[in-house]
């Protein structure tokens, strides 16, 4: 039994409407489509925690038989320019407060928050080492909040065009080992890994103990099946190492949202097996 679960993303941030999310804008439509296709979970990319209504999300999850897989925090960067590695302490505190509110919300549903774009980057008079030290300081504080609520924090390595801090699972594992908080896990986004890793499956094998979530995307950042990433060895590496989290589609709505979701669940069933086992 592998208990790997399927999920797809919905983005509620108009400024990210061209971003790699399966559904955009309409929460009820996304929940229904994802539920109808038999996914196990849904991942939300909201403008902020305040924009989400607990009762509405709770009802949508129940009505569509879905679990909340994770909640993204990248809108803190897109909308407010927040960064967890900012050189200014007060700016970092604002970034931490923004992420903490998402941790509070997500944890109500047993879900983790994702730190991807919110890791920031070096520059503005800061070396990479200084920015990484600031990022780790912020992550330690967030892990304390998350651990109180029984959920992990997911740190996502991003490709070199988005950050110069954490690009690979190896970079992420080093951060996990230095932060030394068991609640810090890595998000393996197969799109970023296709750019940064020499061998995706091997990197997953090496760093499996740290992986808490996967963004399930093909080389083209379209649904798995619309690109050329060799998925079989990747899923085998996850299974072999007892991965029990979500494969969550964070992909462009190509050729449209429903087709991307349909292709994703077909690929999930093909590689993982019916029912996620
Ligand atoms: C977020 O999950 C991600 O993968 C980033 O590319 C968004 O900037
Ligand atoms: Mn991602």
């Amino acid at each position: 039994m592998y208990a790997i679960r399927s999920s797809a993303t919905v983005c509620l941030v108009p400024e990210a409407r061209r971003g790699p999310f399966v559904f955009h804008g309409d929460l009820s439509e996304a929940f229904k489509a994802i539920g109808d296709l038999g996914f196990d979970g849904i991942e939300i990319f909201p403008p902020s925690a305040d924009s989400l209504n607990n009762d509405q999300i709770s009802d949508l999850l129940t009505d569509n038989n879905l679990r909340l897989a994770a909640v993204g925090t990248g809108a803190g960067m897109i909308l407010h320019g927040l960064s967890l590695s900012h050189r200014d302490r007060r700016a970092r505190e604002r970034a931490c407060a923004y992420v903490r509110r998402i941790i509070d919300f997500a944890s109500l549903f047993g879900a983790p928050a994702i730190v991807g774009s919110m890791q920031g980057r070096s520059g503005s008079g800061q070396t990479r080492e200084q920015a990484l030290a600031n990022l780790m300081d912020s992550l330690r504080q967030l892990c304390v909040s998350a651990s109180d609520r029984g959920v992990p924090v997911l740190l996502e390595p991003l490709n070199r065009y988005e950050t110069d801090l954490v690009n690979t699972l190896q970079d992420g594992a080093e951060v996990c080992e230095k932060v030394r908080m068991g609640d810090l896990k890595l998000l393996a986004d197969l799109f970023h890994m296709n750019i940064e890793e020499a061998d995706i499956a091997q990197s997953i094998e090496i760093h499996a103990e740290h992986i808490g979530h996967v963004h399930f995307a093909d080389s083209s950042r379209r649904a798995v099946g619309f690109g050329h990433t060799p998925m079989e060895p990747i899923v085998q590496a996850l299974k072999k190492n007892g991965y029990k989290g979500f494969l969550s589609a964070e992909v462009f709505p190509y050729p449209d949202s429903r087709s991307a979701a349909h292709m994703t669940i077909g690929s999930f069933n093909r590689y993982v097996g019916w029912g996620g086992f």
Side-chain angles (χ1 to χ4, degrees), residues 203-233:
S203 179
I204 286 173
E205 285 266 352
I206 295 170
H207 301 294
E209 63 175 309
H210 293 297
I211 299 175
H213 196 71
V214 174
H215 276 161
F216 192 49
D218 217 319
S219 54
S220 53
R221 212 171 203 184
R222 291 173 176 167
V224 171
F226 286 134
H228 56 75
T229 297
M231 210 50 73
E232 183 81 42

Side-chain angles (χ1 to χ4, degrees), residues 156 187 189 192 215 221 250:
E156 177 174 23
L187 192 173
D189 182 323
H192 295 301
H215 276 161
R221 212 171 203 184
E250 187 189 61

